[in-house]
Amino acid sequence: MDSRFIRNFSIIAHIDHGKSTLADQLLLQSGTITEREFESQILDDLEIEKERGITVKARSVTINYELEGDTYELNLIDTPGHVDFHYEVNRSLAACEGALLLVDAFQGVQAQTVANAYAAIEVDLEIVTVLNKIDLQVVRVDEVLEEVENILGLPSEDALKVSAKTGLNVDTVFDAIVKKIPPPTGDRNKPLKALVFDSKFDKYRGVVTYVRVVDGAIKKGDTIQFMREGVTSEVIEIGQFRPNLVPCAELGPGQVGYLLTGVKELSRITIGDTVTMARDSADEPLPGYQKPKQMVFCGMYPLDATGFESLREELQKLSLNDSSFSFQPETSDALGFGFRCGFLGMLHMEIIQQRLEREQDMDLIQTAPNVTYEILTKTGETMIIDNPQDVPDPMIISEFREPIAKVSFIVPAENVGTIMQLSQDRRGIYKNTEYLGPHRAQVIYELPLSEIVYDMYDKLKSVTRGYGTMDYEIIGYAAADLVKMDILVKGERVDALSTIVHRTTSERRGRALVKRLKTEINKHQFEIALQAAIGGKIIARETISAFRKNVTAKCYGGDITRKRKLLEKQKEGKKRMKQFGSVEIPQKAFLSVLEANREE
């Protein structure tokens, strides 16, 4: 197809501003799907996406639209809105020439609206502002347009006013896509260059590779090469997303589609790679993507030791569909063989865990999450620590560093003081406050990432009654007075319960954790001591009392020595059991670190 009639665009917005709903209407009104096929969130094909009402994976779809006698091919990429999946947004923008910036007509410009708009401006995309949800009974159209102009620097007079839910004015969105977003630039006569912007695993057909062709053309039967990995294979099938996989004859410059090459190994195709011809290959690959950096880690272990290989297989499949997720094998004295998994944030971790448990029916034990730390040793070596068990002896540590994030809160004006107090309590450094209007303000803080990931989002929603939003970006590492806190159960360290805390809060957190553990671990036939320790110093203790049978119940009266003899015998048995008995720690106890932090 002539690239003059192709438009590649993305829909970007804050979470729950109507991206997926607008995508549904574009598909319906263009005739890509029929009324009978129409359903809410049609592009969100994961069960967990439909259940939670959020987009987790970016999806692509090709729409044909007629305007003034010409047929245009519109390639839409629907993106997630949550801060944890900002990497998916960046990948989508790299495959486009323009973006629809969706803004809620009542909620206005939110934290992720700002972050996504700046991401689109950075890669020089043409931005079309769309004011959504104008069908609501209460809207702030003029105020929101003023916010768009003042905060984002985008002209408010060009903004489109639509309702994705009812389909009102959606036709103006099609016209704006065609007239405002530029066509892709590319030369059919140059050697093939196609960007791999996503992929997924199909158990029947192998790896399905999503590509955006930049130069040249590709068709079925061509022998191609993935430049970064050096993998050469034949194209078995080529096609487009309409929205299901529909085979086509060829993909030319600017077009978006998929390739099937019969590759079965999950690790042989990487996101951001460049596809070219095996013979007449391109000189240089496309820039690709910056590798995503996992900031939250946790251990995942099969409930049954025999499930280790099954868990490895399922994690490999997930890592193909989600390149921002990583895993590597590890062992734990308490839990046996498992994997250390890395995520972009807490929601990302929760989604992966639920997909494993629901879609693959895996029984898992998950340890409490922690962020990545840096340690500078006295020999000058820098160590990356993503597991508290790897923290070296304090005697060799010169500097313990933690990741710092720049956090932007957009909150109602009356909640500014509350947010500032919340941030100060979490060791935040105040940077700036900017009022966006009479009723809303943007507050900027620098906060340790470990203080954000656990429950900052929940606390923010709670204190602002749902009206506050936040966005954060990692700006580097800073030295802090951090220590490793161990948990001892009956005098033995449980490695899976170790955590890294700030020294000033260690005693409070230690007390909260052992109290929480006391409620999770069942009583045994002997007394169990639960202790929190830093090095050799015990900072908190709780005791789980033993079950005690009344051995003197059958002694009705008689000599007291009989009762004493029975009690002494019981005492000896308890002593022996305490010495040789083992404590059974339930699965829920391993997330007590997280629960204790939330309660605190």
Side-chain angles (χ1 to χ4, degrees):
M1 186 173 189
D2 191 330
S3 59
R4 291 183 297 124
F5 299 105
I6 297 172
R7 301 290 184 273
N8 296 319
F9 69 99
S10 192
I11 304 178
I12 54 175
H14 187 80
I15 188 169
D16 202 30
H17 278 200
K19 294 179 297 298
S20 297
T21 310
L22 179 60
D24 295 342
Q25 279 295 341
L26 293 175
L27 290 172
L28 183 64
Q29 295 203 18
S30 64
T32 307
I33 56 171
T34 63
E35 285 278 3
R36 185 179 177 184
E37 294 170 317
F38 178 77
E39 60 174 292
S40 181
Q41 289 177 270
I42 194 165
L43 292 183
D44 294 340
D45 53 357
L46 297 177
E47 179 191 333
I48 201 158
E49 289 180 315
K50 292 187 183 296
E51 181 186 307
R52 285 172 170 252
I54 60 172
T55 301
V56 171
K57 284 290 295 174
R59 279 290 309 272
S60 179
V61 64
T62 299
I63 299 167
N64 283 348
Y65 180 70
E66 285 195 16
L67 182 67
E68 299 171 359
D70 293 320
T71 301
Y72 291 85
E73 186 179 286
L74 313 180
N75 293 308
L76 153 68
I77 298 177
D78 184 29
T79 61
H82 195 279
V83 61
D84 278 13
F85 303 108
H86 192 63
Y87 176 70
E88 291 274 338
V89 178
N90 289 338
R91 287 214 324 242
S92 305
L93 297 180
C96 301
E97 281 77 39
L100 301 182
L101 179 66
L102 217 56
V103 185
D104 190 304
F106 174 69
Q107 293 184 14
V109 174
Q110 300 290 337
Q112 279 296 110
T113 316
V114 177
N116 290 338
Y118 286 161
I121 291 166
E122 273 177 32
V123 290
D124 203 25
L125 296 192
E126 184 65 39
I127 298 175
V128 177
T129 307
V130 181
L131 208 63
N132 190 26
K133 303 187 183 182
I134 61 165
D135 59 310
L136 294 176
Q137 290 185 346
V138 181
V139 291
R140 303 184 300 118
V141 173
D142 293 337
E143 286 178 48
V144 171
L145 288 176
E146 195 176 319
E147 287 176 9
V148 168
E149 197 156 290
N150 293 342
I151 302 168
L152 304 176
L154 298 172
S156 59
E157 63 273 10
D158 297 336
L160 308 176
K161 303 178 184 70
V162 308
S163 167
K165 187 176 180 181
T166 63
L168 179 67
N169 294 340
V170 170
D171 56 322
T172 62
V173 178
F174 282 113
D175 293 351
I177 291 167
V178 170
K179 291 174 181 175
K180 292 184 179 179
I181 294 175
T185 55
D187 190 343
R188 177 179 287 272
N189 300 316
K190 284 186 177 180
L192 173 68
K193 273 189 186 179
L195 175 70
V196 178
F197 69 89
D198 208 348
S199 59
K200 73 172 186 177
F201 182 79
D202 186 300
K203 59 184 176 182
Y204 300 111
R205 303 197 284 181
V207 180
V208 182
T209 308
Y210 296 21
V211 295
R212 147 77 199 265
V213 180
V214 177
D215 288 320
I218 185 171
K219 58 184 182 297
K220 182 179 175 180
D222 284 344
T223 303
I224 58 167
Q225 182 181 23
F226 293 89
M227 294 184 77
R228 189 183 300 174
E229 297 297 326
V231 177
T232 302
S233 56
E234 184 183 333
V235 178
I236 299 170
E237 184 179 304
I238 191 168
Q240 293 178 306
F241 310 98
R242 292 184 176 272
N244 298 318
L245 306 186
V246 177
C248 66
E250 183 186 74
L251 289 177
Q255 289 189 292
V256 175
Y258 70 91
L259 304 175
L260 287 175
T261 58
V263 173
K264 301 288 183 185
E265 293 81 0
L266 307 175
S267 59
R268 296 183 71 189
I269 293 174
T270 55
I271 308 298
D273 204 345
T274 302
V275 176
T276 189
M277 291 296 177
R279 289 187 178 177
D280 184 18
S281 62
D283 297 331
E284 293 180 354
L286 296 164
Y289 302 109
Q290 189 177 356
K291 196 173 171 64
K293 195 172 184 182
Q294 291 83 24
M295 294 307 299
V296 175
F297 287 81
C298 80
M300 285 191 178
Y301 296 81
L303 200 58
D304 185 352
T306 57
F308 177 76
E309 285 302 326
S310 301
L311 179 57
R312 184 202 297 273
E313 196 176 309
E314 296 306 333
L315 290 172
Q316 281 180 328
K317 289 177 186 176
L318 277 177
S319 68
L320 177 77
N321 292 343
D322 185 355
S323 63
S324 54
F325 155 71
S326 68
F327 66 97
Q328 59 184 39
E330 72 167 2
T331 57
S332 162
D333 295 338
L335 301 171
F337 293 99
F339 295 92
R340 193 80 189 159
C341 303
F343 311 92
L344 299 177
M346 291 291 281
L347 178 66
H348 190 203
M349 181 190 79
E350 204 178 315
I351 295 291
I352 294 287
Q353 179 215 344
Q354 289 189 11
R355 286 184 69 184
L356 285 167
E357 289 181 340
R358 292 186 185 184
E359 296 172 17
Q360 312 305 334
D361 201 24
M362 302 288 299
D363 291 320
L364 297 173
I365 294 177
Q366 180 190 329
T367 64
N370 63 271
V371 301
T372 310
Y373 297 90
E374 273 186 5
I375 287 178
L376 180 66
T377 65
K378 289 181 178 176
T379 59
E381 181 191 355
T382 301
M383 300 174 65
I384 304 295
I385 302 292
D386 56 44
N387 188 341
Q389 297 172 45
D390 298 335
V391 176
D393 189 297
M395 298 299 290
I396 70 164
I397 297 175
S398 171
E399 200 171 72
F400 211 144
R401 300 168 182 159
E402 63 183 344
I404 303 295
K406 180 184 175 185
V407 189
S408 301
F409 299 100
I410 293 184
V411 296
E414 65 266 23
N415 295 127
V416 169
T418 315
I419 289 301
M420 291 178 79
Q421 185 61 53
L422 188 66
S423 300
Q424 292 292 142
D425 291 345
R426 291 165 184 247
R427 300 186 284 125
I429 299 171
Y430 173 74
K431 287 296 173 184
N432 185 31
T433 300
E434 182 183 346
Y435 282 86
L436 310 178
H439 305 298
R440 292 205 305 152
Q442 178 175 268
V443 183
I444 297 175
Y445 263 87
E446 285 182 6
L447 278 157
L449 184 63
S450 59
E451 301 286 352
I452 299 170
V453 295
Y454 282 124
D455 64 343
M456 190 65 162
Y457 190 75
D458 295 339
K459 283 275 197 300
L460 170 70
K461 288 294 181 186
S462 175
V463 298
T464 61
R465 300 188 305 282
Y467 289 108
T469 59
M470 65 178 265
D471 177 66
Y472 64 84
E473 59 172 330
I474 310 300
I475 57 173
Y477 286 80
D481 190 8
L482 302 169
V483 289
K484 176 189 173 187
M485 184 172 73
D486 290 310
I487 299 299
L488 284 71
V489 177
K490 202 170 78 75
E492 294 181 10
R493 277 182 170 76
V494 181
D495 53 3
L497 290 174
S498 296
T499 183
I500 296 170
V501 295
H502 197 270
R503 195 182 296 275
T504 56
T505 61
S506 58
E507 287 191 24
R508 189 171 77 242
R509 291 200 169 182
R511 281 195 298 272
L513 180 50
V514 291
K515 273 186 182 175
R516 182 76 193 182
L517 278 173
K518 187 179 178 180
T519 66
E520 301 294 352
I521 297 176
N522 295 325
K523 282 187 175 185
H524 287 56
Q525 292 291 340
F526 49 89
E527 189 180 85
I528 303 168
L530 303 174
Q531 297 166 307
I534 294 174
K537 181 186 176 185
I538 304 297
I539 58 170
R541 174 179 170 134
E542 288 286 337
T543 304
I544 301 174
S545 58
F547 278 126
R548 193 171 185 88
K549 182 182 178 183
N550 187 359
V551 292
T552 63
K554 293 183 180 178
C555 297
Y556 300 106
D559 190 356
I560 189 66
T561 55
R562 172 68 179 151
K563 289 185 179 181
R564 282 180 183 158
K565 187 177 177 183
L566 287 169
L567 290 169
E568 284 299 321
K569 190 176 178 183
Q570 184 187 45
K571 188 177 176 183
E572 284 299 316
K574 294 280 185 191
K575 188 176 178 182
R576 194 163 56 250
M577 202 175 282
K578 187 175 182 180
Q579 190 175 350
F580 299 108
S582 61
V583 181
E584 190 177 314
I585 303 176
Q587 175 184 347
K588 202 175 175 189
F590 292 101
L591 281 175
S592 293
V593 180
L594 183 58
E595 295 299 326
N597 283 340
R598 283 181 173 161
E599 285 174 11
E600 186 200 341

